[in-house]
Structures are given as structure tokens and as C-alpha cells.
Amino acid sequence: MAEPELLLDSNIRLWVVLPIVFITFLVGVIRHYVSILLQSDKKLTLEQVSDSQVLIRSRILRENGKYIPKQSFLMRKFYFNNQEDGFLKNTKRKVVPPSPMTDPSMLTDMMKGNVTNVLPMILIGGWINWTFSGFVTTKVPFPLTLRFKPMLQQGIELLSLDASWVSSASWYFLNVFGLRSMYSLILGQDNGADQSRIMQEQMSGAAMAMPADTNKAFKAEWEALELTDHQWALENIEEELMSRELDLDGMFSQELPTGIF
Amino acid sequence: MSKNVLIIVFTEMRDKLRKWREDNHRNSEQIVDVGEELINEHASKLGDDIWIIYEQVMIAALDCSRDDLAWTCLQELKRQFPGSQRVKRLAGMRLEALEKYEDASKQYDSILQDDPTNTAARKRKISILKAQGKSAEAIRELNEYLEQFVGDQEAWHELSELYINEHDYGKAAFCLEELMMTNPHNHLYCEQYAEVKYTQGGLENLELSRKYFAQALKLNNRNMRALFGLYMSASHIAASPKVNATVKKANVKYATWATNQINRAYQVSYARCLL
């Protein structure tokens, strides 16, 4: 039942596996910097900035409303959620779904995204396939069906070879997706070399239209605020404070440490 | 040997400037001293840091009426970053310092034409109104600004100060509430809010102020102002004829506790003086 174990030349490890890892990694880093260079300035309108801040204020009201007196909390909740003229209830923003045809900047962004990400991947994948062809590179640790053979064993014409043995092109693609976490380690979050994130973005790109989001965000915020109650944090503050003596350590010294933070 | 000493001094100066920049200190005279020497002697060693140091030193120079220094910094920045809005704002600030308010206002208007979301220019225009003493207009403009940019904490604080100067304590309290919500752990906002409530007067406000003085104390046990405020508000409530017996008793208890703590604090300070 044990399949015949293939012993690969250790030169393969030295001259194929490692160079492909290097190449993938370096190409990823270069992609990140190129995407930074090609980044177009996102001009935000006054309305967008203003709306995002209003949403933040409403969220803060929900989370930290317990630190202000009940009357003030109710006043603000009324301002946001009132039936007739509450801000969150009644403000409707014009919704213009940015389709690639109508919005020229979106089009150029998409093109730039494609050029920096998909094109290099195809080119380098093809080059690796051509350079490192004709031999088996590595073995994937799980068994695969025969269907995968033509895909993963590009240059190898052996009918009896296990589908787990793959060629260098598939090792390259494995690297492209595997090095994602390395990129976030080295380049920080949100870097331009993150392939799968970009592909995810492209798929959900149509649904991510910002203007429509604002109306939905307002509605979601309205609902959340309706549910919020005011639990005053200062209800028993005197008892809590006076349960013990004040900690006057370090008072009147030169370097005054400030409070909790 | 002396070169080593010079190098050590240079890095120390640069780090001090950076610390002041990050902590937003307004010690303008020190910044001018250190910064001027850095710019004149060690400009080459600073590399790209020099531009942000120019900005920092320029603002400090305007504070100290050092027009010559401010002008040189501005020229250098203009040469390196022509057409930058940040530099335009600095040019406007210099005009403000020379009291050429009309020209400064025009400068800020031109920035706003290019970029209507630029908050710095709008805030400078409001400071011009404040400098000219037109506080009613400044309040109005600041209110409009805050309607657009609800999240600007600096602006809320400035508005609360303007309202306090106009003795409109209700509105000042509103602004401080915004600040308390966004910074729930800052004992200074709680204390300022309590003081405004105390100044407003009336039984309800006094109770609120006592609670917020207590909150400030809870956040920072060493806030002497809050301790005194707690004592004052508690004794004020206890002395008021409108309260019933239980409330009076509770407040007397609070006031006595506060007195004990104040005595302890004085003892600590006395002990330190003896050292």
C-alpha cells in the first residue's frame, strides 16, 4: 500500500525550491512599492468626511454615553433618532453607484490594480514554468486525485506518477498565497502585495460602493442607538470613591505622574 | 574628543525637539533656542528631519516674536515645497502674527478654495476672529465648523472656553460633555465640567458637580482641585435650606471625608518640605 518513494536530487532543493521562494517574495515586495507609487490621491468630499465623523460621534454616544448625565444623553439621542427630524433618520444622501463606465477614476484604479497584480503573476508564472520545467519539484503532503495531474504537473509526461508530486509552477502559486502572512509581518498590514485580499476586493468591489454605504450605515446606527439605554456610571460614585483613602503617593514631587494613563 | 561631545549634544537636541513635537509642548522659548542652534550649526546632519524642525521652530518663533527666524524658516520651506498647503498655512500664521489679518484671511481662503476639507485653514480663520476680539462671530463660525466636523476635539474644547468667557455655562457644559464622552479617562475634562456645573448653580447642578468632582478624583487620586471642589459642592448642598435631612446627612459625610483627605495631603506636602 505504500507508494514508491521518490528520492529527489538535493540540487532541486537548492536551485529550484529556494530561488522560487526568493523570487516570489521579492516580486511581492516590489509590487507593494510600485502600488504605493501608482496610488492615486483619493479626494474625499466634505460631505463624506462629515458623515464619517457623525457616525463616529453616534457610536461614541452609544459606547460612552454612560459618562454623561442622563438628560444630556437623552438630548443627544433625541437629536439623532427623533421621528420627525432626527439626523440619522432623515438624512438621505444621493446614491451614485460608481460603475467602472461612468466613473473614470474607478476605471484607472482597476487598470492599475490589474497591471500591478495580475500581470506580473502571469508573466512570472509562465517564465518559471518555462525555466524550471521537466522535473518534479516537491510533494504536497495530502493525496490528490488524478484530475489534478494536468494542472499541477505541467511539464512532466509520466502517466503513473502520483498526483501529489507537483511541478515548479504549482510551487510558485503555492508561494504566492502562502507568503501573504510574511508580507504582513514585514510590510505591515494593508500592504500592496497581498494578492488574495486584492482578489477579494475585486469580487466585492461592486458591493462596496461608498455612497450606498452611508445610507445603510445611518440606518444601522439608528437601530443600534434606539436600543441603547443610559446606565449612569456615576450612580454610586461617592460610595465607591470613599470606600478607601486616597492614594497620595508621589504627590508634590517634581515629576507629577498623571492619573490613570 | 571634542567632536564626540558635539555629536552627542546634537542628537540630544534633535531628540528633545522630537519629544516636544510629539507631546505637543508649547515651550516656545526653549524650542527657539534649541532649534535655532540645530538649524544653524547642524543642518547637514539632520537630513530630511530638517523640514519638520523648520515648521516646529517657525511656529515657536512666531510665539516669541522672532520674525527674522520665522521668515528664514518660511523661505526654506517655500523653496523645498512650493505650492504646499501646509506651507501656505504657515505663511498665513506669520501674517497673523504681524497682525495683517486681512492678508492672512485671504491666504486661508485660497487654501480653502483648493481643498474645502482643509480643517487647519478653517480653524486659523476662527483664531483670527478670536484675536480681533470678535468673540460672538468666532463662536458662530466655530459652531458652523463643528457642524461639519463633529469629531474635532480641539475645536470642542476651544468652543467651551469661548462660551465660558461669555458666561454661557449651559452651552459650555454641552461642549465638555462631548469631550468627556470621547475621552472618558481624562480626569481634567471631568473636573472642568464639574466646575462649570458648580458655577451654574442650583441644587441639581451642584449635585452633578459633586458627582463629577468625585469621578475626577476616582480617575486621578491626586487632583487637589477636584478634592476641594468635592468639599465645596458637598458643603454647599448640605448648607442649602431646600434639602431634606437624609441628603444633608450624606453631604455632610462627604464633606468630612474630603476634609480628612485634604488634611492628609497637607501632611504629605509638609513631610516633603522637611526632607
Side-chain angles (χ1 to χ4, degrees), chain B residues 54-212:
Chain B
Y54 271 136
E55 187 183 20
Q56 188 181 8
V57 171
M58 181 182 165
I59 297 184
L62 289 178
D63 267 344
C64 301
S65 299
R66 288 284 309 271
D67 276 341
D68 51 332
L69 182 56
W71 182 246
T72 29
C73 293
L74 185 60
Q75 292 302 90
E76 291 296 317
L77 285 170
K78 262 197 197 159
R79 210 151 35 114
Q80 179 70 8
F81 305 107
S84 150
Q85 288 181 345
R86 204 160 151 179
V87 176
K88 272 198 199 160
R89 165 185 166 247
L90 289 174
M93 281 174 84
R94 184 182 154 268
L95 289 170
E96 270 185 76
L98 296 171
E99 297 202 0
K100 296 189 179 147
Y101 295 126
E102 294 291 326
D103 298 332
S105 203
K106 281 208 206 92
Q107 182 85 315
Y108 297 134
D109 282 332
S110 82
I111 297 181
L112 284 173
Q113 243 179 354
D114 288 332
D115 177 16
T117 63
N118 191 318
T119 56
R122 289 182 74 158
K123 289 199 269 194
R124 285 321 305 171
K125 286 186 70 175
I126 297 172
S127 345
I128 292 182
L129 288 172
K130 192 173 170 203
Q132 292 174 311
K134 302 178 180 162
S135 36
E137 283 185 37
I139 288 181
R140 202 182 51 226
E141 292 287 317
L142 194 45
N143 266 310
E144 275 176 31
Y145 170 80
L146 275 171
E147 252 175 71
Q148 304 275 338
F149 299 97
V150 213
D152 192 335
Q153 296 179 30
E154 194 183 52
W156 279 115
H157 205 185
E158 188 66 39
L159 186 58
S160 80
E161 211 180 287
L162 285 173
Y163 275 134
I164 291 176
N165 283 337
E166 298 291 309
H167 305 297
D168 196 342
Y169 297 116
K171 301 212 181 90
F174 184 90
C175 303
L176 286 168
E177 279 160 10
E178 291 289 322
L179 288 169
M180 279 200 299
M181 276 203 297
T182 42
N183 305 285
H185 299 296
N186 188 331
H187 62 106
L188 296 169
Y189 291 144
C190 287
E191 186 218 305
Q192 213 174 3
Y193 181 72
E195 287 174 5
V196 168
K197 281 289 166 197
Y198 184 84
T199 319
Q200 261 186 306
L203 191 55
E204 250 182 54
N205 288 330
L206 280 176
E207 299 235 316
L208 269 179
S209 89
R210 187 195 69 218
K211 288 214 177 271
Y212 279 95

Side-chain angles (χ1 to χ4, degrees), chain A residues 5-246:
Chain A
E5 289 291 348
L6 280 178
L7 189 62
L8 294 177
D9 195 346
S10 51
N11 275 334
I12 292 183
R13 178 190 64 211
L14 194 59
W15 294 107
V16 176
V17 174
L18 290 179
I20 291 187
V21 176
F22 268 141
I23 292 173
T24 328
F25 185 68
L26 288 173
V27 166
V29 169
I30 293 175
R31 247 209 327 253
H32 166 70
Y33 286 119
V34 167
S35 67
I36 289 185
L37 282 174
L38 290 181
Q39 223 173 35
S40 50
D41 287 321
K42 275 189 267 214
K43 270 258 166 97
L44 289 172
T45 63
L46 186 55
E47 206 177 74
Q48 281 175 321
V49 172
S50 177
D51 286 344
S52 62
Q53 293 200 357
V54 168
L55 284 171
I56 293 176
R57 179 168 177 234
S58 170
R59 193 192 76 215
I60 299 250
L61 180 65
R62 273 188 293 125
E63 290 172 15
N64 291 338
K66 55 188 197 232
Y67 294 112
I68 59 178
K70 191 171 181 112
Q71 188 67 10
S72 320
F73 175 81
L74 290 174
M75 193 163 56
R76 288 170 168 85
K77 184 170 165 180
F78 184 80
Y79 165 74
F80 277 125
N81 278 13
N82 186 23
Q83 285 292 0
E84 290 110 47
D85 53 14
F87 187 85
L88 289 177
K89 192 133 177 64
N90 286 1
T91 315
K92 300 276 177 249
R93 298 287 178 215
K94 249 174 38 158
V95 175
V96 176
S99 91
M101 307 308 144
T102 54
D103 200 354
S105 67
M106 273 281 286
L107 191 60
T108 42
D109 270 344
M110 245 173 58
M111 251 198 48
K112 278 185 209 156
N114 280 340
V115 165
T116 37
N117 293 312
V118 178
L119 206 61
M121 194 163 87
I122 297 178
L123 282 177
I124 296 189
W127 175 76
I128 286 188
N129 204 11
W130 174 77
T131 335
F132 300 110
S133 67
F135 53 85
V136 158
T137 303
T138 182
K139 179 177 194 284
V140 294
F142 43 86
L144 294 170
T145 61
L146 291 172
R147 285 302 198 89
F148 286 101
K149 274 183 83 169
M151 192 165 56
L152 299 177
Q153 292 179 350
Q154 268 285 337
I156 308 161
E157 314 294 337
L158 281 181
L159 286 175
S160 60
L161 188 55
D162 230 327
S164 301
W165 296 96
V166 297
S167 69
S168 21
S170 38
W171 172 242
Y172 168 69
F173 283 113
L174 203 70
N175 266 291
V176 166
F177 293 108
L179 283 173
R180 207 161 39 99
S181 40
M182 281 279 285
Y183 291 141
S184 25
L185 203 67
I186 298 190
L187 296 171
Q189 291 289 51
D190 201 36
N191 57 67
D194 214 334
Q195 268 285 45
S196 62
R197 190 179 63 91
I198 293 165
M199 296 214 280
Q200 262 179 1
E201 264 181 32
Q202 280 182 345
M203 280 183 242
S204 64
M208 246 175 64
M210 272 312 288
D213 246 8
T214 323
N215 280 336
K216 291 205 191 84
F218 279 169
K219 185 136 198 300
E221 198 59 47
W222 178 85
E223 283 170 11
L225 193 53
E226 275 290 302
L227 296 172
T228 324
D229 236 353
H230 182 253
Q231 306 279 354
W232 203 21
L234 273 61
E235 197 66 57
N236 296 321
I237 181 93
E238 284 99 353
E239 303 304 321
E240 288 167 21
L241 178 66
M242 299 181 191
S243 60
R244 66 171 88 116
E245 301 281 310
L246 287 183

Side-chain angles (χ1 to χ4, degrees), chain B residues 35-46:
Chain B
E36 194 174 8
E37 190 175 331
L38 255 175
I39 294 175
N40 291 338
E41 310 290 319
H42 307 284
S44 49
K45 297 197 210 94
L46 282 169

